[in-house]
Amino acid sequence: MTDAVIARGLVKHYGEVKALDGVDVSVPRGSVLGLLGPNGAGKTTVVRILATLLTPDHGSAEVAGIDVLKDPREVRRRIGLSGQYAAVDEYLTGFENLDMIGRLYHLGRKTSRQRARELLAQFRLEEAGDRMAKTYSGGMRRRLDLAGALVANPPVLFLDEPTTGLDPRGRTDMWEVIQALVAGGTSLLLTTQYLEEADVLADNIVVIDHGKVIAEGTADQLKAQVGGERLEITVADASELMAAGALLEPLGVGKAVLDEHRHCLSMPVSGGAMVLTDALRRLDAAHIVLDDVGLRRPTLDDVFLALTGHGVEHTDSSLTGAQTQGVPR
Amino acid sequence: MSYVSAVGDGLVVAKRNLIKIKRVPDLLVFTTLQPIMFVLLFVYVFGGAIAVKGSNYNEFLIAGIFAQTVIFGSVITGAGMADDIQKGIIDRFRSLPMSPSAVLFGRTLSDVVNNVIVVIVMSLTGLAVGWRIRTSFLEALGGYLILLVFAYAFSWVMAMMGLLAPSPEVVNNAAFIIIFPLTFVANTFVPIVTLPGPLRTFAEWNPVSSVTQAARELFGNIPPHTPAPGWALQHPVTYTLIWSLAILVIFVPLTTRQFRRSVSR
């Protein structure tokens, strides 16, 4: 069985800037690939090449078994694309938007209309279906845009940052919609800046940065590299940091990292709230006063830190680089 | 099959643009109120001040306003393209298995429909303030056609501008800088003989002059035995058609090629 999406050695320049520097991705049929990376990593460029909007300088790509460069029109019959900015026509109603897309897929008048109504119902836009999209909330626009990508029931779907800019409610709504689609057997390539999102939705994750693949695997494999959840504390008095480190050391599953500059300690743990309670008890017994304490799940920043040694935004965040040091044994 | 689907796709896109005329306030004003305003302003503000030898100024004026207004109509094409690129709608279109030129044909086609509405509104306003068509039905139809054909060709120039411009606002501003001189340094509002040397030569060969002259002739708004300066204005229909054809031959392929390359910014 061939993969739904295969891209090999994609290279793309924008003038002097190398947006992609030899990217390989593949999406097995019926699975979800999460393309994870910060802004400007090249995620959108990959999607645009696969969706036939851009031609790569080098490399090859196949979507649904068809060569993207040789036969873009056949590829377009088999894909749905929903972009980073909801590409809905705001002066058309939701129904008119979907109906128009159906007509442009050459589904015919009757089928297009029927499909538009079906999708409006599926995406909980039935009541808003005959209102101008201008009046929709951000989440509703995104749902309409996603519905647009599904008009022709494409076997392969590309979603470029489907939840960026949505509020938490809108995000979880979107996740549910996407999960339902995937359950129906659609092959999906999804880009995101959020590890959590890739974790919830993707079977496999490819991490890219500066136009290069820097890691790939399942969410669990990536997290294993990052080290799961971390206990983080900030002490009120910097001179007590070492003592706190020594007290908490036995609770960790890996080495603690101290940041004297910010008075804080970060340490991989496992066991959740139990560990947190235990840590507080120990620190309290030693009369160490805390400014802040918490359990943190790994973020994209942690993945990047673990994989590349630098943070997502490449700022001089004090948790990275030279200012950190291990607790002496 | 591909030609049939290209036409079908073009119509779908044109329909989408036309729906907007009634929903976007700017477009509605542009299409209905502005033409009425232009006819009334020119007739009542300039009408008394400008004299045209052997003719009635209002009669002279109307075809000029028609020409200027339909050419300005092409700005909708340019701004519309730029807007679609900015909003990411072009990405959506380009990811569909539709004919790639259908977006452009649909866009320019909806401009023609828009211009038909504009011309009807202006004609009714014109008739209300005393303008008359003094020729046969067929000649008058020819007058309207030549206005629409030239405006159609010009909208491809604007479509190209829309694809290249960074935003719809830029298209609007740039278009006005081009279209104002083009439509004023012509025989649209004043007789060419009143213009100083170089401007007069420009006006004589300006296709806006020839399209205006052609419309005037075909509406019967030029008194008989009025000499026209230069070959272009003596053969206004031919000259206008040559220009329209030349613009289309150059800009249809050029704009289509640019469209394939354009992606949302």
Side-chain angles (χ1 to χ4, degrees):
Chain A
M1 195 168 78
T2 54
D3 289 344
V5 177
I6 308 166
R8 284 201 193 90
L10 297 180
V11 174
K12 179 75 190 175
H13 291 85
Y14 293 114
E16 292 289 296
V17 183
K18 203 167 204 177
L20 292 183
D21 189 6
V23 169
D24 299 327
V25 288
S26 62
V27 183
R29 205 154 282 195
S31 78
V32 181
L33 177 75
L35 198 57
L36 184 67
N39 277 329
K43 304 186 297 288
T44 299
T45 307
V46 172
V47 169
R48 284 189 169 162
I49 289 172
L50 294 173
T52 76
L53 301 182
L54 269 183
T55 314
D57 299 335
H58 297 288
S60 63
E62 253 181 40
V63 171
I66 295 158
D67 192 313
V68 172
L69 296 172
K70 286 196 192 120
D71 206 350
R73 192 137 178 197
E74 279 305 305
V75 169
R76 287 179 205 134
R77 288 180 199 286
R78 292 164 174 80
I79 60 168
L81 169 69
S82 175
Q84 209 171 124
Y85 309 98
V88 299
D89 191 322
E90 52 185 5
Y91 290 102
L92 297 189
T93 65
F95 174 78
E96 285 164 346
N97 265 291
L98 297 177
D99 179 46
M100 172 180 76
I101 293 169
R103 298 300 299 277
L104 294 175
Y105 269 114
H106 308 131
L107 298 183
R109 179 191 297 259
K110 201 175 150 219
T111 317
S112 295
R113 290 187 175 177
Q114 199 181 330
R115 187 74 185 125
R117 290 290 173 208
E118 266 170 40
L119 285 165
L120 288 171
Q122 187 185 337
F123 286 82
R124 292 182 290 116
L125 291 168
E126 242 165 344
E127 284 177 22
D130 294 315
R131 274 196 348 237
M132 271 194 266
K134 201 175 157 58
T135 64
Y136 288 15
S137 69
M140 289 164 79
R141 281 185 200 212
R142 283 297 176 90
R143 293 210 298 277
L144 181 60
D145 190 52
L146 178 55
L150 300 175
V151 166
N153 277 317
V156 181
L157 196 59
F158 298 108
L159 302 182
D160 191 11
E161 302 200 9
T163 65
T164 300
L166 291 185
D167 58 22
R169 168 81 209 274
R171 180 167 298 168
T172 34
D173 275 3
M174 199 62 156
W175 286 354
E176 281 170 25
V177 168
I178 293 171
Q179 278 165 329
L181 282 176
V182 173
T186 308
S187 309
L188 170 63
L189 189 153
L190 152 114
T191 76
T192 179
Q193 303 188 39
Y194 311 109
L195 181 61
E196 193 192 357
E197 183 162 294
D199 193 4
V200 172
L201 298 174
D203 300 311
N204 287 295
I205 298 175
V206 166
V207 185
I208 66 171
D209 189 28
H210 296 302
K212 281 185 170 152
V213 174
I214 58 173
E216 55 185 307
T218 63
D220 287 341
Q221 285 166 348
L222 287 176
K223 279 189 194 159
Q225 288 186 35
V226 180
E229 59 189 357
R230 300 180 78 85
L231 172 68
E232 288 192 353
I233 64 160
T234 306
V235 296
D237 182 353
S239 64
E240 293 181 329
L241 191 59
M242 284 293 193
L247 277 172
L248 298 181
E249 189 82 55
L251 303 177
V253 295
K255 218 159 74 163
V257 177
L258 297 189
D259 179 352
E260 288 181 24
H261 189 65
R262 296 199 315 181
H263 308 185
C264 70
L265 172 153
S266 166
M267 184 175 68
V269 294
S270 85
M274 293 280 285
V275 181
L276 185 61
T277 317
D278 201 359
L280 287 173
R281 225 174 258 140
R282 286 171 185 238
L283 294 168
D284 194 39
H287 303 290
I288 293 174
V289 183
L290 299 178
D291 276 351
D292 192 24
V293 61
L295 275 177
R296 204 159 66 91
R297 296 183 197 290
T299 63
L300 179 58
D301 209 25
D302 299 317
V303 174
F304 270 75
L305 191 57
L307 293 171
T308 65
H310 65 73
V312 169
E313 303 297 339
H314 315 292
T315 53
D316 55 348
S317 154
S318 0
L319 268 175
T320 69
Q323 289 142 315
T324 56
Q325 59 179 75
V327 175
R329 284 245 167 207
Chain B
M1 172 262 156
S2 79
Y3 284 107
V4 175
S5 78
V7 172
D9 293 348
L11 290 174
V12 172
V13 176
K15 181 183 157 200
R16 165 223 174 204
N17 296 333
L18 291 171
I19 288 176
K20 290 191 182 184
I21 294 179
K22 56 181 180 185
R23 297 203 187 140
V24 185
D26 293 4
L27 288 180
L28 191 65
V29 168
F30 204 89
T31 308
T32 56
L33 291 182
Q34 191 169 304
I36 297 178
M37 190 187 75
F38 271 164
V39 171
L40 297 181
L41 277 181
F42 274 98
V43 168
Y44 291 111
V45 177
F46 293 124
I50 300 170
V52 179
K53 225 184 262 173
S55 171
N56 152 354
Y57 182 62
N58 292 349
E59 198 109 310
F60 173 87
L61 185 66
I62 295 289
I65 301 173
F66 283 10
Q68 186 188 43
T69 311
V70 294
I71 291 168
F72 265 113
S74 66
V75 179
I76 297 179
T77 289
M81 288 309 299
D83 194 46
D84 284 351
I85 289 182
Q86 200 175 42
K87 301 228 167 92
I89 292 171
I90 292 296
D91 275 3
R92 160 66 32 90
F93 282 143
R94 289 185 65 241
S95 74
L96 297 176
M98 63 190 286
S99 160
S101 49
V103 174
L104 296 165
F105 277 106
R107 186 88 243 177
T108 49
L109 185 67
S110 55
D111 256 17
V112 176
V113 178
N114 193 61
N115 270 338
V116 169
I117 302 172
V118 166
V119 169
I120 291 172
V121 171
M122 284 194 296
S123 297
L124 293 176
T125 318
L127 290 170
V129 298
W131 169 69
R132 292 292 177 267
I133 293 173
R134 304 187 189 279
T135 49
S136 69
F137 174 75
L138 279 182
E139 279 172 298
L141 197 65
Y144 284 116
L145 270 180
I146 196 126
L147 285 164
L148 294 173
V149 165
F150 183 75
Y152 180 76
F154 201 75
S155 66
W156 280 88
V157 178
M158 285 295 129
M160 183 70 179
M161 231 166 97
L163 290 174
L164 295 173
S167 76
E169 291 75 22
V170 173
V171 178
N172 278 323
N173 295 332
F176 277 62
I177 289 171
I178 295 170
I179 294 177
F180 256 110
L182 207 59
T183 55
F184 270 90
V185 185
N187 62 354
T188 36
F189 304 115
V190 294
I192 283 183
V193 288
T194 62
L195 296 172
L199 286 187
R200 185 174 165 174
T201 311
F202 178 82
E204 274 176 29
W205 295 97
N206 183 347
V208 177
S209 295
S210 70
V211 73
T212 308
Q213 181 81 5
R216 270 183 197 138
E217 276 185 18
L218 290 161
F219 293 143
N221 294 145
I222 295 179
H225 315 299
T226 311
W231 185 88
L233 295 185
Q234 283 154 18
H235 307 85
V237 174
T238 315
Y239 186 70
T240 305
L241 290 179
I242 291 172
W243 261 97
S244 306
L245 195 69
I247 292 175
L248 288 173
V249 165
I250 295 168
F251 278 90
V252 171
L254 208 62
T255 311
T256 308
R257 202 180 66 145
Q258 184 60 36
F259 177 78
R260 286 175 208 250
R261 292 186 188 167
S262 299
V263 279
S264 297
R265 290 176 268 265

